Amino acid sequence: MLKKFISCIIILFTILSLQTMFSGCKNRDDIDDIIIDGLKTQKVVINEESINEIISSFSSPVEMAALMSSLNVPFSRRYLIDPSITEKYDTNNKKAFALGILSADLGYLNVYERSSLIVEYLSAIKRLADDLRISQFFDFHSLKRIATSNENIDSLLFLSVRSFQDMDAHLRESARSNLSLLVITGVWIESLYLLTQVANEIETEKLTERIGEQKILLNMLYPVLKIYQEDPYFKDLVEELKELHKIYEGVKISYQVGEPETLIIDGRLTIIQNEKSIIEMNEEQLKQIILITEKIRNKQINL
């Protein structure tokens, strides 16, 4: 669902869901050589349906930040990446991952209405997008105006989703779908990092549940990232996530189906099936997730 996607490459992006992600290759004619930072690697394709399934399954960093705000967690810039650090990144992989991290931080800033910082982060995002030759897909003027004036979030989401879809299609056509994957992974890691940093200071059931739910997305991203392991950057990232994946294997998620809800949406009768996820995660597992997430995130931004 488009509204649930959020926080694309520029302002609001994504995290969370279930099911398998990629069916692999379509026809052999559809398979392209992948160029990663100038090196030709294995032939592989991520089909559009699979990427769209991942994207539509994510929750937003804005949603995550809104949860923190609802718990009266005070704003803290120390949780966020210093955008100036991204100036030293010298490969497309690093820049794409940083683009995801900055996007997640931008969602956090937006919820806490830090307009002056939003401009700073948008400038860093534009610089990275220029370097990756994808800035043509983003209307930075509109993004800045909407974000800094606290206009309708729906407008921001629509603009972000549309921009990301156009960018993703372009990267896939030019055999650079690996960069889309890194942007998504960067968004997810940073959003999980923000959640776990707060959970390390404030113990609440809501935060713990949301952290536990991230097992679903990790189970989607992890096998996909492994496809690109011929590239050293991806290989190192997969090794780092392997430890986190192992901890999450012990987290249990079950679902309790609730009563369906009938609503009239845009003049149409719509039935929404409500369900509640039940997370079983002990204190030691939470502690390990907090520590490992911090290690992965900090290593990535300091490469």
Side-chain angles (χ1 to χ4, degrees):
M1 195 175 290
L2 284 183
K3 277 196 172 182
K4 208 174 174 189
F5 160 29
I6 348 207
S7 210
C8 97
I9 216 167
I10 270 337
I11 211 149
L12 308 131
F13 217 49
T14 61
I15 346 183
L16 162 71
S17 174
L18 123 65
Q19 295 287 354
T20 66
M21 55 208 281
F22 296 8
S23 52
C25 305
K26 303 177 194 172
N27 302 317
R28 290 199 71 85
D29 292 341
D30 294 328
I31 303 175
D32 296 318
D33 286 335
I34 300 299
I35 307 298
I36 300 179
D37 285 330
L39 299 175
K40 183 181 289 188
T41 184
Q42 69 186 74
K43 289 189 172 185
V44 65
V45 69
I46 303 177
N47 65 47
E48 184 176 359
E49 293 78 12
S50 298
I51 281 290
N52 288 340
E53 181 182 357
I54 299 170
I55 290 171
S56 65
S57 298
F58 284 16
S59 297
S60 166
V62 172
E63 181 185 339
M64 300 295 191
L67 172 59
M68 299 177 201
S69 180
S70 70
L71 296 172
N72 296 317
V73 176
F75 172 82
S76 177
R77 189 172 182 179
R78 68 183 175 83
Y79 296 145
L80 309 179
I81 186 176
D82 178 355
S84 67
I85 198 176
T86 62
E87 294 178 13
K88 70 177 184 179
Y89 295 160
D90 56 358
T91 70
N92 287 342
N93 285 341
K94 293 177 184 178
K95 292 173 183 178
F97 197 93
L99 200 53
I101 287 179
L102 288 168
S103 297
D105 286 352
L106 202 57
Y108 178 83
L109 291 170
N110 186 263
V111 166
Y112 282 91
E113 300 180 5
R114 293 302 197 270
S115 298
S116 59
L117 292 177
I118 284 174
V119 174
E120 184 180 344
Y121 278 70
L122 272 175
S123 296
I125 287 172
K126 185 179 188 305
R127 182 179 65 251
L128 292 174
D130 285 340
D131 289 348
L132 293 169
R133 304 190 307 278
I134 54 175
S135 60
Q136 69 269 31
F137 297 106
F138 306 106
D139 185 347
F140 286 95
H141 177 74
S142 297
L143 285 167
K144 179 179 177 181
R145 174 178 52 78
I146 294 172
T148 57
S149 63
N150 297 314
E151 289 186 31
N152 191 337
I153 283 292
D154 284 346
S155 299
L156 191 58
L157 297 187
F158 173 74
L159 188 58
S160 298
V161 170
R162 186 184 61 189
S163 297
F164 182 79
Q165 289 175 328
D166 291 343
M167 179 214 71
D168 179 64
H170 170 75
L171 290 174
R172 187 167 31 247
E173 289 170 5
S174 58
R176 295 195 295 160
S177 57
N178 58 299
L179 298 182
S180 290
L181 182 58
L182 286 177
V183 173
I184 292 172
T185 305
V187 171
W188 178 71
I189 283 290
E190 183 71 352
S191 298
L192 179 57
Y193 173 77
L194 293 175
L195 281 178
T196 53
Q197 288 299 295
V198 173
N200 198 34
E201 300 178 10
I202 301 173
E203 195 173 323
T204 73
E205 185 177 345
K206 286 185 178 180
L207 280 176
T208 301
E209 287 179 354
R210 190 56 59 88
I211 291 169
E213 288 172 350
Q214 300 316 301
K215 173 182 180 176
I216 299 168
L217 185 57
L218 179 57
N219 284 346
M220 296 176 70
L221 283 175
Y222 185 66
V224 181
L225 290 166
K226 290 171 71 175
I227 292 175
Y228 293 95
Q229 281 189 103
E230 286 190 15
D231 175 66
Y233 182 93
F234 277 83
K235 184 176 181 180
D236 289 344
L237 181 57
V238 167
E239 281 300 309
E240 293 167 15
L241 289 172
K242 184 177 182 180
E243 188 178 4
L244 186 62
H245 187 264
K246 185 175 181 180
I247 296 298
Y248 264 114
E249 284 181 345
V251 176
K252 305 299 181 184
I253 302 178
S254 57
Y255 297 90
Q256 184 178 68
V257 179
E259 291 294 324
E261 184 178 0
T262 304
L263 300 174
I264 303 295
I265 301 177
D266 296 330
R268 296 183 178 182
L269 181 65
T270 303
I271 298 177
I272 300 175
Q273 181 63 63
N274 294 312
E275 66 176 20
K276 177 184 178 182
S277 59
I278 300 172
I279 310 297
E280 296 179 49
M281 179 170 62
N282 60 43
E283 290 185 10
E284 182 59 27
Q285 289 169 329
L286 176 59
K287 179 181 177 181
Q288 289 301 310
I289 289 170
I290 292 171
L291 291 174
I292 296 169
T293 301
E294 181 176 10
K295 183 176 71 173
I296 293 172
R297 184 265 195 181
N298 289 340
K299 181 177 179 180
Q300 288 299 315
I301 68 173
N302 290 304
L303 286 175

